[in-house]
Amino acid sequence: MSKTIAINAGSSSLKWQLYQMPEERVLAKGLIERIGLKDSVSTVKFDDRSESQTLDIKDHTQAVKILLEDLSRFGIITDFSEITGVGHRVVAGGEYFKESALVTDEVLAQVEELALLAPLHNPANAAGIRAFREILPDITSVVVFDTAFHTSMPEVAYRYPLPKKYYEDFKIRKYGAHGTSHQYVAGEAAKVLGKPLEELKLITAHIGNGVSITAVDGGRSVDTSMGFTPLAGPMMGTRTGDIDPAIIPYLMDRDETFKDAAAISNLLNRQSGLLGISGQSSDMRDILAGVESGDHDSTLAYEMFIDRLRKYIGQYVAVMNGVDALIFTAGIGENASDVRASVVEGLTWLGFDIDPDKNVFGAEGIISPEDSRVKVLVIPTDEELVIARDVEKLKQA
Ligand code: ADP
């Protein structure tokens, strides 16, 4: 009987989930927001209760202290010694980390060094790791990388057609993201399909605010839509996804606003996608409401979003020279049946099909008709559970 905590630290936030392992039972979860700002908020959810408090939390170490205090205050744990493991999500694992790893001084130093590849995320992830090491130094501490699952990609897929030295000197290549999610839903899909993962060609579609599509051949990621950074791929909530890169120097030459890299990056990452096209919202629920009311820009945003998804799915059929199943997951993939129907509607020639009676809100498992050549599934993702499982695995190693 032990408790394991999964941590997802952002620059000013810390999301956590506490598990009873090995039963994999969620005991509590929570979110600390506005770390380093005034009026930070810590929310804890357990037993159908939700408790929030507002206080000033100056850094991640203090956030971890507050979280542990909350756990004992609400009687979720009686003693800190009940927590035997912590798993930290880390965004960039570069080429070093092909799987999850136990935290050592060296591993922590590498995570910090990899901040070059994820300047917004890795320093926050490292702050979370340091905070736990300081407060609970004796527990098993593990890092789980968003990129690890994609390290199986062949060089043909991960290299960009740039001169070699930019790969060698600057490590510019495709790393991908959402790896834990793609790996988890691929494994769950194999169970639902009743076939060994090793024998399946799957396309996993993680469609949330961020969107990434992965070709999973025999359980290995062979290509994925996110690239050097999570900006690449289909259109997203506020991100462009793939565009002609020549637009960037063109804008920098023509518009004073884009003198520096930060301004361009802000445009591409935060002001584009569904938000940029609709002019209203990055949230798919608002876009669907706009489509319903006949709003032109929302309808265009919706249609572009669907178009880009279909194209990626088509590409990955070609990458694997076949496909057995398409899996929808994450906020939009799990909940927006309209999006699933629209995507599949344009892929019927390739053998994809959907059963409207199965493709309803709350659907899970297979949503294609019996005779569909390619199966279509909805599998809710669970990145925190993957983290907790990896902690268990490494504890026993
Ligand atoms: P993140 O990438 O930030 O983790 P999520 O996976 O939570 O995001 O996905 C957020 C997206 O899911 C938003 O666009 C939201 O509108 C969409 N979404 C959530 N619930 C629904 C729903 N019932 N119908 C349509 N879209 C939904």
Side-chain angles (χ1 to χ4, degrees), residues 15 178 206-211 237 239 274 282-288 305 329-337 339 361 381 383:
K15 228 200 264 182
H178 293 145
H206 179 113
I207 315 174
N209 278 317
V211 177
R239 287 171 244 172
L274 290 174
S282 63
D283 192 300
M284 184 50 82
R285 285 165 288 205
D286 298 333
I287 301 297
L288 287 166
F305 192 81
T329 195
I332 297 174
E334 289 168 29
N335 297 301
S337 52
V339 170
F361 181 75
T381 193
E383 291 163 282

Side-chain angles (χ1 to χ4, degrees), residues 30 44 58 98 100 104 135 139 160 191 201 223 243 249 261 267 274 296 315 325 355 374 376:
V44 184
K58 66 177 192 315
K98 301 199 183 322
S100 301
T104 59
I135 300 166
I139 67 175
Y160 291 113
K191 287 187 209 160
K201 292 179 197 283
D223 205 350
I243 57 167
L267 171 75
L274 290 174
H296 172 271
Q315 268 190 52
D355 180 344
V374 181
V376 181

Side-chain angles (χ1 to χ4, degrees), residues 25-29 44-50 74-76:
R25 187 156 55 88
V26 178
L27 299 171
K29 57 183 163 185
V44 184
K45 293 186 176 164
F46 62 104
D47 295 345
D48 298 326
R49 272 172 73 184
S50 178
F74 296 122
I76 301 162

Side-chain angles (χ1 to χ4, degrees), residues 262-273:
I264 278 278
S265 178
N266 181 49
L267 171 75
L268 304 178
N269 279 293
R270 299 191 200 280
Q271 296 173 31
S272 300

Side-chain angles (χ1 to χ4, degrees), residues 230-276:
L231 180 57
M235 172 175 160
M236 312 189 201
T238 61
R239 287 171 244 172
T240 54
D242 302 339
I243 57 167
D244 180 347
I247 294 168
I248 298 163
Y250 182 84
L251 271 180
M252 291 180 104
D253 282 347
R254 304 279 158 131
D255 188 335
E256 273 290 290
T257 326
F258 301 116
K259 283 193 304 291
D260 62 34
I264 278 278
S265 178
N266 181 49
L267 171 75
L268 304 178
N269 279 293
R270 299 191 200 280
Q271 296 173 31
S272 300
L274 290 174
L275 173 65

Side-chain angles (χ1 to χ4, degrees), residues 174-193:
K174 181 186 277 196
Y175 294 102
H178 293 145
T180 46
S181 175
H182 290 289
Q183 186 172 16
Y184 174 77
V185 300
E188 293 300 303
K191 287 187 209 160
V192 173
L193 294 166

